[in-house]
Structures are given as structure tokens and as C-alpha cells.
Amino acid sequence: MVENLGDKVDTRQSLLNIGTLGHIDHGKTSLTRAITNVWTDRHSESIKRNMTIKLGYADAIIYKCQKCKAPEAYNTKDVCKNCGGKAEPLMRISMIDAPGHETLMATAISGASIIDGILFVIAANEPCPMQQTKEHLMIINLLGIKNAVIVQSKVDVVGKEAAIKHYNQIRQFIKGSVIENAPIIPVMTTREINIDGVLEKIATMEKPKRDVTSDPLMYVVRSFDVNKPGIDAEKLTGGVVGGAIVKGRFKLGDKIEIRPGIKAQGKGSKKETYTPIVTTVIAMSNGVDPMDEATPGGLIGLSTELDPAFAKADGLVGNVVGHMGKLPESVSTLTITYHKLNRTDIQEPGMKENEPLILGVGTATAIGFIKRIKRDTIELELKRPIALLKGTKMPVMRNIGQRWKLTGYGTA
Ligand code: ZN
């Protein structure tokens, strides 16, 4: 435990949440591993029957050698790889990944409030832009994400000339977009060449202005039971909820509320009803170090006095956590303003009444049926309630040709 930090940098709280975008097989996961030494590709099943989006989180601490020049001075270890001297910790960062093309785009939209910057991975061994690369740039433009580093991956697979030609294709491709001035860093992930250059660009990204004074709100990304099976009842530890703090500050001892909460056991009603949970924060951490307060940045685990049965196996994913009595009410009907994306790869029929839509709301994925539709205003009846923060951007997915496709986003 870090008790006395002195003049050292506090690396317990992540300073930046970095999302990764890029065409399938362009090397997002191996880049994340080169930076964090962790594979994030552990959630193969993204949208399951209960429709939860599984986010992959992996943290790294960026160190910098004071003696060496950039970019060689940047590293994710406390020893300088250039001179062998001691490197000082600069900051903790969290890499966020989502599996699959549709969920990745949906996550980028619903996670816009927690993603501070992106790594946009474009592989040199295919012409630029590929279809998904095009769509990801569309999302970047839509969300106005200016904090971006373009990672030109797999340059070791092609020759120098081809890499330069491809680099120019990228420059041409991003011209006129919100990231037209973003740095392009050619990397060889397998040999860890130029990863330091990517780290330098991340470390020097503009730091987001965090809202740490308003009522806190956290999206639940994971939840679990830390007790071993067969443990004595009096030794039971309460459930743990892990999530991304959108705003505000949580402290030890806080009385918190989790919404929409637990499914009520009532029978006879077609609609599912939920009861909010109230509990107390008894410990918190970034997954490694204990903390006594937490603000936006990274994945924060809150240990609670909650019955662990509710928290086990990600049972609370999709909920929001806040101070008692300070959360938005859960709603079962919703009116959104719909913004259609201009996807060229899908043939889209017009929307009809009773059509089911999937909405991503924070980490919740809600199924709604269209009750009424008038131009871009859609009234939905939700299968189960959601606690919704005003102004949230929600990805909207339609079932087209037996697949759920991201067709636009809604605001409520
Ligand atoms: Zn050095």
C-alpha cells in the first residue's frame, strides 16, 4: 500500500482512459498487449442473451527516464530500456477494448463520456481505408474525439516503400476529419519497435477536465463475489462492483445506491420491475492498490456490504452507482431523438412500430420496442428499466438480416 507518497506521482488513479479502434485483425489487441502486457481479448461473447457489453480494461503505468531523450525515454517499466537507469512514474493509463466491430462502435458511442482519447490502429499490409476503418473514422468524427494517435501497425510485414505509400494514404484519408492533425506512428508490435513513440504521444495528450464536484455516477462494468465456495457465513465479504466513474468522487464509507438494482420477484406482470439496492463502500481499489477515494479514470472496484450473491458473475453489469437518493430515476419508456449513421455496408428498411431496437446506455444494453415514430423522434417501451443520465448518447442497433447492426444513435 502506498502510504506516504512524498513528492512522488500518485499513479493509483488512471489519468486517461484510452479506447482502441481499427479494422478487424489490424492489431488492436496485440498493441494493447505491447503497452500493458495484458490480453484484453478475453470476452469473446460480447452481446449475450442478457445483452451486456463486456468491456476489456487493461492498465499500464507510463515511466519516463529523466536522462534520455524522447521517445526512447518512455517505457512501461521503472528501468530505462535505453540507459538502464531508473525511470520515474508519470501516470497510470487504462486501455479500453470491446470485442467485435458492432460492439466496438457501440461502445465508443456509449462510452464517449468515459473515453478520453483513442488509439486508431491501421495496418500497413492492407490498403487504407478498409470498410471498418472508414466506419470508425465516422464514429470519431461524430463524437469529436480529437485526442487521437494513429498507429500504423504491421509495417514489418511490408517494405519501407509500401509503408511510406500507406502512410500517405492515411494522411489523405484523415484529411478534413477531426483527427486530421493526429500523429501517425508506424510500429512493429511483435518486436516492440516504436511502442515508446506511442507512449510518448499518449503521455503528452491533452488531459481531460474531470468533473469531480457534482454527484458521483459510475457505470458498472463488472461485479463479483470474492468469497471462496464453502466459506463460513460470518467470514463472508460483501459483493464488489467495478466500474467507470463518469463524474464526481466516491469515498470510503459512502452510502451508495445501485440502479435499477435487483429484479423484483413479482409474477403476473409482463414488464420486469427492479428494486434499487442501497449499501456502503467499505473499501476501494484500482485492482491493485487500495484507495480511499476515487474520481473518473480507469476501472475502480468498490467493495460493499452487499449480499455477494447479487454481485457474482457480473450480475450487476449495466447498473449505475451513485450516492443514495442522487441518481436519476429508472425509466421504462423512453423518447429519443434518432441520428442515423451513413453506413454504406447495410441496406436499411424504414423503421416500423413494434420493431425491437437495442440501445446501449452506459454499460447497460436495453431492448426497446418502437411504440411511436415521427420523423427522428422515437418513443420506446423498454423490456426492463434503465437509470438514465440526461443527454446520454445511446448507440442504436437494428436487427437487419438476422444480425444486430449499429445504424445510429439516440439522445434523450
Ligand atoms: Zn534512460
Side-chain angles (χ1 to χ4, degrees):
M1 180 172 170
V2 191
E3 281 286 340
N4 186 0
L5 291 162
D7 55 358
K8 272 197 169 167
V9 180
D10 185 349
T11 52
R12 289 177 295 176
Q13 179 91 56
S14 256
L15 283 194
L16 287 168
N17 291 330
I18 308 286
T20 44
L21 287 173
H23 193 77
I24 187 165
D25 289 336
H26 276 200
K28 292 189 294 283
T29 305
S30 46
L31 175 70
T32 302
R33 187 172 69 154
I35 292 173
T36 64
N37 298 309
V38 179
W39 280 106
T40 51
D41 203 17
R42 54 198 161 195
H43 305 298
S44 53
E45 219 183 340
S46 55
I47 296 192
K48 296 197 297 192
R49 238 172 63 83
N50 64 350
M51 304 295 169
T52 49
I53 291 178
K54 298 265 182 172
L55 292 183
Y57 262 85
D59 280 14
I61 294 175
I62 301 180
Y63 293 84
K64 191 185 176 195
C65 173
Q66 300 306 323
K67 291 189 200 108
C68 295
K69 276 192 196 145
E72 288 83 9
Y74 289 90
N75 198 358
T76 49
K77 296 185 181 79
D78 59 3
V79 176
C80 176
K81 62 180 165 46
N82 200 40
C83 70
K86 197 169 158 31
E88 297 296 331
L90 271 187
M91 64 173 80
R92 173 184 288 268
I93 60 161
S94 296
M95 304 279 293
I96 305 176
D97 204 0
H101 177 56
E102 302 296 325
T103 43
L104 188 62
M105 291 197 292
T107 301
I109 295 174
S110 58
S113 52
I114 55 163
I115 290 172
D116 307 310
I118 54 147
L119 297 184
F120 192 13
V121 184
I122 306 177
N125 64 340
E126 290 191 299
C128 175
M130 297 295 285
Q131 179 65 29
Q132 295 181 358
T133 307
K134 250 193 268 178
E135 286 172 9
H136 291 180
L137 183 63
M138 180 176 78
I139 299 285
I140 290 167
N141 268 328
L142 168 74
L143 300 172
I145 306 173
K146 291 194 190 88
N147 249 348
V149 179
I150 296 168
V151 178
Q152 187 193 20
S153 59
K154 304 192 184 186
V155 290
D156 42 344
V157 180
V158 299
K160 193 182 169 190
E161 247 171 65
I164 291 169
K165 194 176 153 218
H166 181 261
Y167 181 99
N168 291 328
Q169 280 178 358
I170 299 176
R171 274 274 164 248
Q172 195 57 38
F173 165 59
I174 58 175
K175 216 172 177 180
S177 75
V178 294
I179 57 166
E180 75 173 335
N181 296 318
I184 303 173
I185 312 286
V187 302
M188 302 181 192
T189 315
T190 44
R191 287 192 275 156
E192 295 201 5
I193 290 173
N194 267 1
I195 298 299
D196 50 8
V198 176
L199 292 174
E200 182 199 4
K201 295 299 177 199
I202 295 173
T204 52
M205 265 184 187
E206 195 183 321
K207 301 298 169 294
K209 287 181 187 72
R210 307 288 197 196
D211 169 10
V212 295
T213 52
S214 45
D215 293 325
L217 186 107
M218 178 172 102
Y219 292 142
V220 178
V221 174
R222 311 213 190 300
S223 78
F224 41 93
D225 172 5
V226 291
N227 302 289
K228 296 216 167 71
I231 192 172
D232 288 345
E234 63 264 28
K235 286 184 188 153
L236 271 180
T237 304
V240 177
V241 287
I245 300 175
V246 180
K247 62 187 183 85
R249 185 188 303 266
F250 287 98
K251 292 188 180 127
L252 284 184
D254 276 355
K255 269 257 180 281
I256 54 166
E257 192 172 315
I258 302 172
R259 277 185 182 261
I262 302 160
K263 195 173 168 183
Q265 294 298 319
K267 279 181 188 167
S269 169
K270 264 201 295 184
K271 253 196 228 165
E272 295 176 9
T273 55
Y274 283 72
T275 315
I277 312 166
V278 172
T279 185
T280 305
V281 179
I282 51 171
M284 59 174 81
S285 93
N286 60 14
V288 183
D289 314 299
M291 304 165 88
D292 38 39
E293 59 172 53
T295 52
L299 184 69
I300 303 294
L302 305 178
S303 296
T304 69
E305 291 175 328
L306 183 69
D307 183 340
F310 294 134
K312 74 172 184 194
D314 283 338
L316 293 173
V317 173
N319 278 273
V320 294
V321 182
H323 281 162
M324 205 170 81
K326 301 285 187 186
L327 280 178
E329 286 295 320
S330 306
V331 294
S332 299
T333 56
L334 189 63
T335 303
I336 60 167
T337 305
Y338 181 67
H339 310 262
K340 193 174 180 298
L341 294 176
N342 290 316
R343 288 188 69 166
T344 50
D345 61 327
I346 39 181
Q347 295 283 343
E348 216 184 316
M351 281 189 184
K352 285 193 200 87
E353 280 179 20
N354 293 321
E355 179 184 334
L357 299 178
I358 291 182
L359 305 177
V361 187
T363 51
T365 319
I367 302 174
F369 293 90
I370 300 176
K371 263 171 64 185
R372 233 165 267 126
I373 181 161
K374 198 177 173 190
R375 286 199 202 93
D376 55 357
T377 304
I378 306 174
E379 219 180 300
L380 293 153
E381 183 83 46
L382 302 176
K383 197 159 174 281
R384 57 174 198 174
I386 48 165
L388 178 75
L389 200 65
K390 264 219 159 3
T392 306
K393 271 190 184 139
M394 292 168 276
V396 174
M397 298 172 96
R398 298 183 68 192
N399 199 301
I400 295 167
Q402 309 297 322
R403 279 169 181 274
W404 289 99
K405 292 279 190 186
L406 180 81
T407 58
Y409 70 98
T411 44

